[in-house]
Each structure stands twice: as C-alpha cells, then as structure tokens.
Amino acid sequence: MTGRELDAAGITDPALRDAYRRCRALNARHGRTYFLATRLLPPDRRPAVHALYGFARYADDIVDSMGAVGPSGTVAPLDTVGATTPDPTAEDAGTARSTRAGRSAGHAGHAGNAPGAPLGDGAPDGARGAALARLAVQLDRALPGGPEAEPTASRAPEATGRVEAADPVGADPAVAAEPGAAAGPVAAGSAPTEPVVTAVAHTAARYAIPRRHFTDFLDSMRSDLTVTDYATYADLLGYMHGSAAVIGLQMLPVLGTTVPREEAEAPAAALGVAFQLTNFLRDVGEDLDRGRVYLPQDLLHAHGVDRALLSWSRTTGRTDARITAALRAAEHLVRGVYREAAPGLAMLDPVSRPCIRAAFVLYRGILDAVAADGYPVLHRRCAVPRHRRAVVALDGLVRCTAARYRSGTPAWPAPRTTPARRPTGPEEAR
C-alpha cells in the first residue's frame, strides 16, 4: 500500500501500516479485478478494502492449503507478501471465493507437515481446521469489545434466489477507532499474531462493522473442509450467506451510502453472491479437481448432469450437450442475481460508485466471455479481454474524477511534505 493512501486514512502506527501493506499485497496478487476497482476509491478508503479482502483471502488460503505452517502453527500464504503491483488490466491470477472471490490452485502437498512446510492439497482436513480455528481465536480477541462481545446472528437466505440481508447494523459507534488508532485488545497490548488480523480488526473498529459478519464468514470457510457439493440452490445460498453476502455487508460502511444502510444491505449482499456465483461458473473444472462441485445438484440434474459426467468431460476434454445446457442455465441464474444487485449501485456514496460499478461490469463480463466461448469452463478459464478491462478502467477513472470534483474531494491526494505524526497513547505503548 502506498504511504499516501495510509496517510490519507490517518494510519500512522508503523506496525499497523505494515499490516495494511501486507493486505494490499494479497489483493494485488490474487484479486486483480478487485485491486483495479479499489484503485478507483478515494485514497483514504482503500486501506480498509484491502484489509477486508486480505483477511478473506488469508482464510481462503488456509482452506485451500495455499500456505505454509509457521512456528506458531498458523498458516501464512505463500508468495504473497511483498508482491509487486501487477498490471491492473491483466486477468485475475485467482480471486478469493469470498469477495469476494475463486480459489487458487494449491501446491502439491503431503500429510504430516512440519512447521514451515507447504500445507498443499494433500494436507489433512484436521490441520486446516486447526489453522482456521487459530485464526478465528485471534480475530475474536482482536475485534472491538473482546471475545464474543456480539452474539452470532446468522440468518439463512430465502430459497427464491433473493439474498436476505443480515440484521441492520447496530454496532455502538463508540467502538469506532479514531484514525490511526488501534482497536480494542489490539491497543491493549494483545496484538494478534497475523498482520491480516491486525488490519481487519482495526478496520472493523473504525467502521463499526458488526462482529457477526466475520463469524458467519468463518463458519462458511469451515464448511468447505467437509462439504463438497450442494443438493439445492437454497442450500448453496446458505453457504454463500457467509462466504459472499457478508462481504458485501462488510463493505457497506466503508463505501458509504446515500440511503439508510439497511436499505442498501440486500443489494450489497446480492452483489457479493453474484460475484461468487460467477466464480463458481468460471471455475467448474478447477473446483472439480479439488473434489468440489459448487453448482447445485438440482440445477445439474434438471439437465441430466451429475458429478460423473462432469469428471468424464474434465478428464477426456470432450463436451456434452447436457453439460452445456446446465452451464447455460447457471449463467442465466447468475444474471438474475446481478439484476437484484444493480439497484444498489445508486445507493452508494457517489465517490464509491465508480469502484463498485467497475467490479460489477468486469465480473458480469466474465459471464459474457463464458457464453461467447461456448461454456468451456471444464477445460479452461474464460477471461474478459484485456482491451475490455482497459476500457472499463478508463471509464471508471473518468467517473471517479467527476464524482470527486462534484463532491469537492481532490481527485488525487497532494504529495505529503511532512513526515507522518508519531503515534501517541496506546499505539505508542505497542
């Protein structure tokens, strides 16, 4: 993360700045569509988005074994921290299932990993579950209010395909941290081990993001350790409430709204689901290699498709009209969720709209690419053409500049001429 963005956000503590930089590196390497879109936000809001994505990506890497077991028994994603900023118009190297967001291919692995050794796809579920549990404990201790300050309020979405929003945000605004201040137990000297936890806890405190959104997310991550398919679309929606819908809900306080936040929650949750369903369709073959089929069985069976037929197509490289019909039905289903999400764009703070609109256009463009290529997702990944991504990026730049001009916000922050303020109080003690 650039120092200018951190300065704009008022984040001054060196350790906290480093934690946010690590989250940005995860976003830059693994979520290039999101990284491109995030650059269209005002600089002071970008660190929070990187923190939310970085934490989601880190948990996702634990589930899919993209990490190394450290001396403390935690899992650190490989080849992420310190990654160079990619070309933002390049296709995603692999986007987290949550935000958003597809799982990246894991490293070849083995059971009984020693500390520091790659977990790999062969790591036992017990090791992954233990690492995820440790991450959950760290987060629970770091979030505002201390362990279990807010009861879980997970709610199942409706079976119609419309995502039901979580309870309206009711967090006490008093827990919001001042710019640059550490949050809750973080400031009390019990800083979490993992930098992504430090950053996301600070973001949660600053923007009063309800604890239940993080609890629901981790619940869905745990289910990926044991659940390999979903009988119905309603079952899949239950999973995606935690893995995708809550990501949209986490983002709302950062993005800002022009309507009461509760009114914007349903389309925000739907957009998170739309992004994830897009990844499920794009990554059918890659997910099948990991033993997972996210497309619901009721949709597949309606067209005469089962796991065995999908595996046959993946193995032989041959196509089947029944598979094509099922994938076309899935595409139409996802487009319906995008239509549910679309009204939410106008509910966002005008300076945030170009960011989310760019992500909306680019991710919906993946559906266009899948359909235009004849649904070859069992054999290769479909991508939005690079020139199209460049056009969207340019359009977003024009829109964000215009929005900031109308709002009186500088289009780009002025260079900082004085060093950052030395932190005082709790941060100083750390």
Side-chain angles (χ1 to χ4, degrees):
M1 186 171 306
T2 66
R4 190 173 297 177
E5 291 172 359
L6 294 167
D7 291 344
I11 299 170
T12 58
D13 176 62
L16 191 57
R17 288 167 73 92
D18 181 65
Y20 274 102
R21 286 192 181 99
R22 289 169 182 254
C23 291
R24 184 184 189 271
L26 284 167
N27 196 355
R29 185 172 180 85
H30 290 291
R32 295 182 184 179
T33 292
Y34 296 120
F35 185 78
L36 167 63
T38 301
R39 296 183 72 173
L40 300 176
L41 282 173
D44 65 315
R45 303 190 197 186
R46 296 175 198 167
V49 174
H50 290 313
L52 292 172
Y53 180 94
F55 178 78
R57 179 74 232 183
Y58 190 89
D60 193 73
D61 281 350
I62 290 176
V63 172
D64 277 347
S65 302
M66 283 290 293
V69 181
S72 65
T74 55
V75 175
L78 297 172
D79 303 321
T80 54
V81 176
T84 57
T85 301
D87 178 351
T89 63
E91 176 58 16
D92 286 13
T95 311
R97 280 275 187 242
S98 50
T99 76
R100 177 299 154 168
R103 306 219 189 259
S104 299
H107 295 275
H110 47 80
N113 302 82
L119 226 65
D121 284 340
D125 287 341
R128 301 174 188 177
L132 199 61
R134 283 187 290 269
L135 183 68
V137 168
Q138 288 186 19
L139 181 67
D140 187 49
R141 291 173 177 170
L143 286 174
E148 300 184 1
E150 178 187 347
T152 301
S154 178
R155 297 171 60 181
E158 299 173 0
T160 60
R162 182 176 297 278
V163 179
E164 181 179 348
D167 291 335
V169 174
D172 184 351
V175 303
E178 291 297 323
V186 175
S190 57
T193 301
E194 303 303 336
V196 294
V197 176
T198 301
V200 81
H202 180 265
T203 290
R206 183 172 187 174
Y207 290 95
I209 302 173
R211 174 184 293 262
R212 65 180 176 272
H213 296 334
F214 298 99
T215 302
D216 291 350
F217 167 74
L218 289 174
D219 285 345
S220 286
M221 291 299 97
R222 290 186 192 96
S223 74
D224 263 336
L225 298 175
T226 56
V227 179
T228 59
D229 52 37
Y230 296 88
T232 68
Y233 182 54
D235 293 334
L236 182 62
L237 281 174
Y239 164 78
M240 289 191 297
H241 167 73
S243 65
V246 298
I247 303 300
L249 298 175
Q250 290 172 11
M251 287 280 290
L252 269 186
V254 179
L255 299 174
T257 61
T258 59
V259 300
R261 192 180 298 166
E262 308 86 61
E263 186 177 337
E265 284 182 337
L271 186 58
V273 170
F275 287 167
Q276 185 165 65
L277 284 171
T278 300
N279 287 330
F280 287 161
L281 180 59
R282 181 193 64 186
D283 300 337
V284 171
E286 296 174 21
D287 286 332
L288 188 63
D289 290 344
R290 301 182 192 97
R292 299 182 185 133
V293 177
Y294 285 102
L295 297 183
Q297 293 180 35
D298 57 357
L299 183 150
L300 296 173
H301 292 171
H303 299 277
V305 178
D306 57 16
R307 182 186 286 262
L309 185 60
L310 294 175
S311 297
W312 168 84
S313 179
R314 177 71 168 171
T315 301
T316 65
R318 299 171 62 182
T319 60
D320 186 284
R322 293 168 293 178
I323 295 177
T324 300
L327 296 175
R328 183 180 295 111
E331 176 219 340
H332 293 164
L333 173 66
V334 181
R335 290 191 186 278
V337 182
Y338 275 104
R339 287 192 291 271
E340 292 180 20
L345 296 177
M347 300 178 187
L348 298 175
D349 183 340
V351 297
S352 296
R353 289 175 196 164
C355 163
I356 304 306
R357 183 184 182 278
F360 185 102
V361 171
L362 288 172
Y363 255 82
R364 192 174 57 180
I366 294 174
L367 296 181
D368 298 333
V370 168
D373 290 351
Y375 308 93
V377 293
L378 277 162
H379 311 124
R380 62 181 177 85
R381 172 176 287 202
C382 298
V384 177
R386 185 165 181 164
H387 71 274
R388 174 60 177 159
R389 294 171 65 85
V391 168
V392 173
L394 179 60
D395 177 73
L397 180 61
V398 171
R399 288 173 182 269
C400 78
T401 301
R404 294 179 197 178
Y405 177 81
R406 288 192 294 268
S407 69
T409 303
W412 307 108
R416 191 178 184 94
T417 56
T418 58
R421 176 181 60 85
R422 179 177 175 82
T424 59
E427 283 187 305
E428 180 84 0
R430 292 175 58 213

